Amino acid sequence: MATCEMCGYNREVVDAIVEGATMSVCLECSKFGHVIPINQPVVDKKIERADESIKPQLDSVDVIVDNYNDRIKKAREKKGLKQEDLAKAIAERVSVIHQLESKKLKPSFKLSKKLSVFLNIDLITSSEQKNPAKPKDVDFKDNSLTIGDMLKSDEEE
Ligand SMILES: [Zn+2]
């Protein structure tokens, strides 16, 4: 029981939006004009596909971390698993695990992801590519630039 914010009676109230404001009103008042029950399902047809569409187009590439063998081995041992156990768990051959841990085999991205998920480790990292793309625009009005600087930026192209 609470006080209806519209009529002031002490009754059973429901939350409703009255002309833009959230109010607690009694069932009687909720029947009037501008009262919209809050519990009405809000249908939002926009389906967000964050992981696919908002992939940043940066100059970076995904690479397998260099010490993948250590990470795999440590994570596996932490879980108390044998190489055989890990192999079974991710549906790979034991020889694959063995080669991974002795750094004889670099995992594919697919395999890395499986291992990452199962062992809860990061095996894929984003490495920024050296991008020599745009040489600095040489501003001839800029007195701080010496002839040497200009020649240098030409060379870099
Ligand atoms: Zn009321």
Side-chain angles (χ1 to χ4, degrees):
M1 297 291 250
T3 308
C4 169
E5 290 178 37
M6 272 182 98
C7 65
Y9 282 111
N10 207 25
R11 295 171 165 172
E12 198 83 52
V13 298
V14 292
D15 285 335
I17 298 167
V18 183
E19 292 182 339
T22 306
M23 292 175 87
S24 296
V25 296
C26 69
L27 291 172
E28 283 302 310
C29 291
S30 75
K31 287 173 189 164
F32 292 119
H34 301 291
V35 181
I36 307 151
I38 278 176
N39 287 338
Q40 250 180 19
V42 178
V43 181
D44 191 354
K45 280 175 184 168
K46 272 185 204 165
I47 299 164
E48 288 186 32
R49 301 175 62 190
D51 50 351
E52 287 198 8
S53 53
I54 314 178
K55 213 169 188 178
Q57 298 293 314
L58 295 174
D59 291 322
S60 64
V61 284
D62 286 341
V63 293
I64 309 294
V65 294
D66 208 40
N67 61 345
Y68 64 87
N69 54 321
D70 288 337
R71 295 196 190 192
I72 294 168
K73 192 170 185 220
K74 275 182 196 157
R76 174 179 60 75
E77 286 172 348
K78 207 173 150 191
K79 278 183 174 274
L81 297 173
K82 289 181 207 156
Q83 288 187 338
E84 289 83 7
D85 301 326
L86 176 58
K88 263 186 210 165
I90 62 165
E92 292 291 341
R93 275 182 293 188
V94 186
S95 61
V96 172
I97 307 298
H98 182 73
Q99 287 181 72
L100 287 173
E101 291 189 3
S102 50
K103 218 176 177 179
K104 282 174 191 155
L105 174 74
K106 195 171 185 176
S108 65
F109 281 104
K110 200 180 159 194
L111 181 53
S112 295
K113 274 176 192 154
K114 272 204 285 189
L115 286 161
S116 299
V117 170
F118 184 73
L119 296 171
N120 197 25
I121 51 175
D122 287 327
L123 290 177
I124 300 168
T125 186
S126 205
S127 130
E128 258 184 51
Q129 268 187 326
K130 298 244 164 81
N131 183 12
K134 285 182 189 169
K136 273 183 199 167
D137 286 334
V138 178
D139 184 357
F140 287 96
K141 286 175 228 158
D142 187 348
N143 294 328
S144 67
L145 270 181
T146 65
I147 299 288
D149 285 329
M150 291 179 206
L151 289 175
K152 211 172 154 192
S153 65
D154 280 342
E155 277 168 18
E156 278 169 5
E157 257 182 280

